[in-house]
Structure formats: structure tokens, C-alpha cells
């Protein structure tokens, strides 16, 4: 169990009493993350679980430091780093600082995270960017994701997520990019996605989505790319899609939609 391992590691630290409460929480959470995602076998783990300041531990970003000037962890970026295991619920302890969670896997499939997305992700209310691209994460997308009102990018493409897209995603009003392709999502495309006025890219390709397309998609006025190919969508293509004046990329291939495009789509 990663959490007791992290506690044991902390108790062995001779500097423990000198840390602020914030640092104790940060070091505990990062150690739990390390143990939970098989940190010993990461491609690069320099500094992790050492005595040095956790803001100096390895990060995959070359130009964004992990911490702000006050030493708060704002960016957890370990993409293309051979993560395995699963996401620990303890990530929610970073709720007062974390803005960027970049854990995408690139194209290397020799190690992948499994398990589900913990509902505690909904505590990270400062989060602006989240990528868990190309792992083998299972389970449903927690409805608590709707609490992350500052998110601009959500990339969960290429996992094994199932269940329906939570309607609470319609609360993410700052969202620019939503990538959910190539999972095992079922149910309907939520009409609440029509609330996402700032969405540029919506990719739900390669799932098992059913029923008709919601007319509300025509309300996403900045939408440039709408990719819904290879699902099980049926019925008419809504004429409301003709309202999307910036739309340049529309893919509805591989569904059971009625064959004619509305004239409104020009």
C-alpha cells in the first residue's frame, strides 16, 4: 500500500521537523504518487524520495518549474516517463496548489497506468490542464470532474474508460479542448456539452456512444473540430450544427446516422 510506505519514508527523514505543514503534505503526496506509480522503474526519477527540496525532484518539463516562488507544487509533469500502477487518491491533497497534471504516456506501451481515476480528482479545483493520454485506465469518469471549473484541457484519450460521459462536464465553462477518443464510453453524448462556449476541439471518436446527437452541440459557437466517428450514433444529424460558423473539421464516419448532411452545414 503506497500511503503507509510514504509515511514510513517520511518518518526516516531527519529534517522532518523543519518542514512547514505545506511541505509535509507535498512530500507525503509526492512520495505516495511515487510508490503508487512504480517510481523505482520510471525512466527518470532523479531526486525523488531524496532529502533535497521536492521542488528540485525530476520533472519532464524543461521550461515550467514544478513549484511556484513560494514552494507550492503547481505542476506535476511526468509525461513519457514509464509510469505504471495507478493514480492515488492522495493527489487530492494538492488541492491548494496544483494547476497542471501532465501524465501522458506518449506511444510507449511497455508500462501503463491502470486502475481508475479517483473521485478525489474533484478536489483539485485549481487544475487548468489534465492529461492521462494513452494508459490503460479503467472505470468511469468521476462526476466530480465537473468541479474543476478552471480546466482548459482534458485529455483522457486512449484509455479503457467505460460508462457514460458525466453530464457535469457541462460545468467546465473554460474548456478549450476535450479529448476522449478511443475509450469504451457508452450512453449518450450529454446535451450539457452545449454549455461549453469556449470549446475549440471535441473528440469522442472510437467509443460506443449511442442515440441521437444533441441539438445543443450547435450552441458551441467557437467549435472548430467535432470528431464523433466510429460510435453507434443513430438518427438525424441536427440542423443546429449549421450554426457552427468556425467548424472546419467534422467527422461522423462509422455511425448509423441518416446519410444526408443538413444543407445548413454547407
Amino acid at each position: 500500500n503506497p500511503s503507509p510506505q510514504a509515511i514510513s519514508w517520511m518518518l526516516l527523514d531527519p529534517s522532518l521537523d523543519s518542514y512547514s505543514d505545506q511541505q509535509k503534505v507535498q512530500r507525503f503526496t509526492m512520495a505516495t504518487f511515487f510508490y503508487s506509480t512504480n517510481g523505482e522503474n520510471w525512466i527518470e526519477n532523479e531526486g525523488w524520495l531524496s532529502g533535497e527540496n521536492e521542488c528540485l525532484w525530476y520533472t519532464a518539463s524543461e521550461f515550467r518549474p514544478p513549484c511556484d516562488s513560494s514552494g507550492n507544487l503547481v505542476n506535476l509533469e511526468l509525461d513519457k516517463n514509464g509510469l505504471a500502477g495507478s493514480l492515488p487518491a492522495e493527489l487530492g491533497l494538492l488541492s491548494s496548489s496544483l494547476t497542471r497534471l501532465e501524465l501522458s504516456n506518449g506511444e510507449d506501451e511497455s508500462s501503463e497506468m491502470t486502475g481508475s481515476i479517483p473521485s478525489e480528482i474533484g478536489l483539485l479545483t485549481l487544475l487548468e490542464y489534465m492529461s492521462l493520454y494513452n494508459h490503460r485506465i479503467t472505470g468511469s469518469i468521476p462526476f466530480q470532474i465537473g468541479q474543476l471549473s478552471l480546466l482548459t484541457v482534458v485529455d483522457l484519450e486512449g484509455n479503457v474508460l467505460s460508462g457514460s460521459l458525466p453530464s457535469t462536464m457541462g460545468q467546465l465553462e473554460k474548456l478549450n479542448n476535450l479529448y476522449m477518443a478511443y475509450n469504451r464510453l457508452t450512453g449518450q453524448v450529454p446535451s450539457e456539452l452545449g454549455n461549453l462556449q469556449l470549446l475549440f476541439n471535441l473528440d469522442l471518436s472510437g467509443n460506443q456512444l449511442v442515440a441521437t446527437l444533441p441539438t445543443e452541440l450547435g450552441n458551441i459557437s467557437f467549435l472548430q473540430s467535432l470528431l464523433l466517428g466510429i460510435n453507434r450514433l443513430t438518427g438525424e444529424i441536427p440542423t443546429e450544427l449549421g450554426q457552427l460558423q468556425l467548424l472546419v473539421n467534422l467527422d461522423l464516419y462509422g455511425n448509423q446516422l441518416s446519410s444526408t448532411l443538413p444543407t445548413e452545414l454547407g
Side-chain angles (χ1 to χ4, degrees), residues 20 52 59 73 96 145 148 186 200 216 219 236 252 255:
S20 66
E52 71 177 348
T59 178
L73 185 70
S96 63
I145 198 170
L148 309 183
T186 54
F200 303 142
E216 288 84 355
N219 298 335
E236 303 282 327
L252 302 172
N255 287 286

Side-chain angles (χ1 to χ4, degrees), residues 186-207:
T186 54
Q188 303 184 26
V189 176
S191 60
E192 289 83 358
L193 295 184
N195 298 332
L196 305 180
Q197 291 294 303
L198 301 180
L199 200 62
F200 303 142
N201 296 299
L202 175 59
D203 190 352
L204 305 176
S205 315
N207 283 287

Side-chain angles (χ1 to χ4, degrees), residues 80-197:
K80 304 183 180 71
N81 200 36
L83 304 183
S86 59
L87 286 173
E90 286 81 1
L91 277 178
L93 294 171
L94 300 175
S95 60
S96 63
S97 64
L98 198 67
T99 64
R100 191 175 182 90
L101 184 64
E102 167 53 285
L103 305 176
S104 59
N105 196 28
E107 305 308 320
D108 175 29
E109 297 183 1
S110 59
S111 62
E112 300 167 309
M113 286 193 292
T114 54
S116 57
I117 300 173
S119 59
E120 288 81 0
I121 203 89
L123 298 172
L124 299 174
T125 51
L126 299 181
L127 208 59
E128 298 170 13
Y129 180 102
M130 175 169 67
S131 177
L132 305 173
Y133 169 79
N134 204 30
H135 287 279
R136 290 200 55 82
I137 296 169
T138 56
S140 56
I141 299 165
F143 70 86
Q144 291 88 347
I145 198 170
Q147 296 162 22
L148 309 183
S149 58
L150 300 182
L151 275 173
T152 60
V153 176
V154 174
D155 187 353
L156 303 178
E157 181 177 331
N159 283 283
V160 199
L161 295 164
S162 56
S164 54
L165 268 174
S167 60
T168 53
M169 298 200 82
Q171 299 167 24
L172 305 179
E173 293 184 0
K174 289 189 160 64
L175 205 60
N176 301 145
N177 298 292
L178 179 57
Y179 303 114
M180 294 281 183
Y182 303 105
N183 280 284
R184 296 181 186 171
L185 298 171
T186 54
Q188 303 184 26
V189 176
S191 60
E192 289 83 358
L193 295 184
N195 298 332
L196 305 180
Q197 291 294 303

